[in-house]
Amino acid sequence: MKARAWPMRLWLAPLAALALGAVLAGCTSPERPKPAPLPANVALIGVKAAWTNSIGAVAFPLELRVVGDVLFAAASDGTVAAINTTTGADVWRARLNTALSAGVGSDGRFAAVVSKENDLIVVEAGKTVWRQRLGAATLTAPLVAGARVFVLSADRTVTAFDAATGRRLWQQVRSGEALVLGQSGLLTAVGDTLVVGLGGRLVGMNPQSGASRWESLVASGRGTNEVERLADLVAGFSREGNQLCVRAFQHAIACVDAANGRTLWAKTANGGAGVAGDAAAVFSAEGDGRILALSRKDGERLWLSERLRFRQLSTPLSLGRSVVFGDDAGNLHFLSKEDGAPLTRVATDESGVAVAPVLSGQTLVVVTRKGVVRAFRPD
């Protein structure tokens, strides 16, 4: 099998197996080259530790949600927590006693996760309010918006539920590929449009009915085998107004006008994690740890950094004059948006950063694979 990046986890699953909720074996890659030792920390900016909490080990594609000053997070064992991002104290905590495959989605009132048994579970104030069995495995965090819960399952089915009652409102089914990417896909809202990644296509849907409003082809899979042809859109996007910039796994980064689906630009890029950005640039890590900054206007390269090559990097966070990446050794790297130069480095723990860092006000929050929730306040 030809290796194009290090290491990208894939779940191999025929659609028939997915319908039964069985996600099967993985795909192995050659051993990743070892990164060079990190140099001494330059510490050009200050980053202060704010607080620490814990949720339990994270071994599924967790997405963090921040609504106001509350962080919603979850652990593999079914612990779901709402944490005050000012103090680090629990607002509430639920123990669902079931292993999770996807989460967390929240609108501030309801929090939604999916179990490995394919149950969509919605929690309010720490109490389970309803459950609904889904027809296929789900790895993408649900979206809770407009009094609805939207779910993107691995077989490309999109389903909408009433957030308060769990009543199914509509379902759109689209055929999928033989392989399923073992990470969260793209599911968000732009204005009054539900925006979904279906394979290599970005699709704008009417959230009231599921009817398609537009489709934009970001990448079409090309290669000699199914792994190389996999081009799913992944979680972690950059939005400025109606412009949505996204990653197609191991194929491309593109920016699309979410008002009408027009592709503004698309550039070849061989990474697996999502992107972040600001009004001027889009930032991403390639599969081999090289970091790209592309012009938001036209996708032209602004700079390329190889300082973190061969480190497994998270989806980044755009933060002031910094772009922040977590790595698999538990470091947070603050790089200059201007040229990728290091600004500072902060350690979390040796288990590694499990998810993309998020921001709540002036507080940066990250979760490690051990489930330690750490908050920092950059100067």
Side-chain angles (χ1 to χ4, degrees):
M1 181 179 296
K2 181 181 176 182
R4 301 186 64 181
W6 295 273
M8 294 176 180
R9 289 293 303 279
L10 303 175
W11 299 110
L12 285 140
L15 292 181
L18 282 172
L20 297 174
V23 180
L24 304 178
C27 171
T28 59
S29 298
E31 184 177 351
R32 181 164 47 110
K34 291 184 178 180
L38 291 170
N41 187 18
V42 294
L44 297 178
I45 60 174
V47 179
K48 297 177 182 177
W51 50 261
T52 302
N53 201 325
S54 181
I55 55 171
V58 176
F60 72 103
L62 170 67
E63 289 189 62
L64 303 176
R65 287 288 182 268
V66 173
V67 182
D69 61 355
V70 178
L71 170 80
F72 295 88
S76 295
D77 66 1
T79 298
V80 182
I83 300 170
N84 184 294
T85 57
T86 301
T87 66
D90 283 359
V91 177
W92 54 256
R93 183 167 292 222
R95 290 179 172 82
L96 305 179
N97 298 317
T98 184
L100 299 184
S101 67
V104 177
S106 181
D107 61 355
R109 177 184 174 186
F110 298 107
V113 296
V114 181
S115 76
K116 285 190 174 182
E117 295 179 342
N118 299 347
D119 285 332
L120 171 62
I121 306 169
V122 172
V123 178
E124 181 182 7
K127 304 294 184 183
T128 299
V129 290
W130 55 266
R131 295 181 181 224
Q132 283 281 13
R133 178 60 55 95
L134 302 173
T138 299
L139 301 170
T140 299
L143 173 68
V144 186
R148 289 172 168 78
V149 179
F150 301 97
V151 178
L152 169 62
S153 295
D155 64 352
R156 309 292 190 267
T157 297
V158 183
T159 312
F161 299 88
D162 183 280
T165 67
R167 180 171 64 92
R168 194 174 80 176
L169 302 175
W170 54 260
Q171 185 174 76
Q172 295 290 339
V173 180
R174 184 175 298 208
S175 62
E177 288 75 31
L179 289 185
V180 175
L181 190 61
Q183 64 192 74
S184 193
L186 198 152
L187 180 64
T188 188
V190 179
D192 66 348
T193 298
L194 178 67
V195 181
V196 186
L198 297 175
R201 293 181 179 273
L202 197 62
V203 180
M205 306 174 77
N206 183 333
Q208 305 297 324
S209 64
S212 177
R213 289 176 170 168
W214 52 258
E215 293 194 15
S216 178
L217 179 63
V218 174
S220 56
R222 295 185 178 90
T224 59
N225 56 58
E226 290 179 336
V227 174
E228 292 180 357
R229 290 191 290 271
L230 194 64
D232 284 7
L233 302 185
V234 302
F237 58 85
S238 175
R239 178 186 171 190
E240 291 286 329
N242 285 331
Q243 190 189 68
L244 200 64
C245 298
V246 301
R247 158 89 71 186
F249 175 77
Q250 75 183 357
H251 284 282
I253 295 172
C255 284
V256 174
D257 186 339
N260 53 29
R262 181 170 63 94
T263 300
L264 304 175
W265 56 262
K267 299 292 181 179
T268 300
N270 182 23
V275 303
D278 57 19
V282 178
F283 307 99
S284 73
E286 295 291 86
D288 63 0
R290 292 181 298 168
I291 296 172
L292 284 173
L294 304 177
S295 168
R296 192 176 199 97
K297 179 181 179 181
D298 55 17
E300 293 303 309
R301 184 189 294 178
L302 300 176
W303 51 261
L304 171 69
S305 173
E306 297 195 3
R307 289 184 176 90
L308 302 178
R309 197 164 187 202
F310 304 129
R311 296 184 183 276
Q312 190 173 352
L313 300 176
S314 71
T315 295
L317 171 69
S318 175
L319 177 61
R321 65 189 181 104
S322 306
V323 56
V324 185
F325 290 85
D327 73 17
D328 58 349
N331 298 298
L332 290 175
H333 301 271
F334 292 71
L335 308 179
S336 169
K337 288 182 177 178
E338 293 297 320
D339 57 8
L343 296 176
T344 196
R345 184 172 66 245
V346 176
T348 59
D349 67 49
E350 73 283 355
S351 70
V353 174
V355 299
V358 295
L359 190 66
S360 174
Q362 300 301 310
T363 302
L364 181 155
V365 185
V366 67
V367 178
T368 70
R369 292 190 181 95
K370 284 183 176 178
V372 180
V373 186
R374 296 186 183 274
F376 302 90
R377 296 199 175 101
D379 291 343

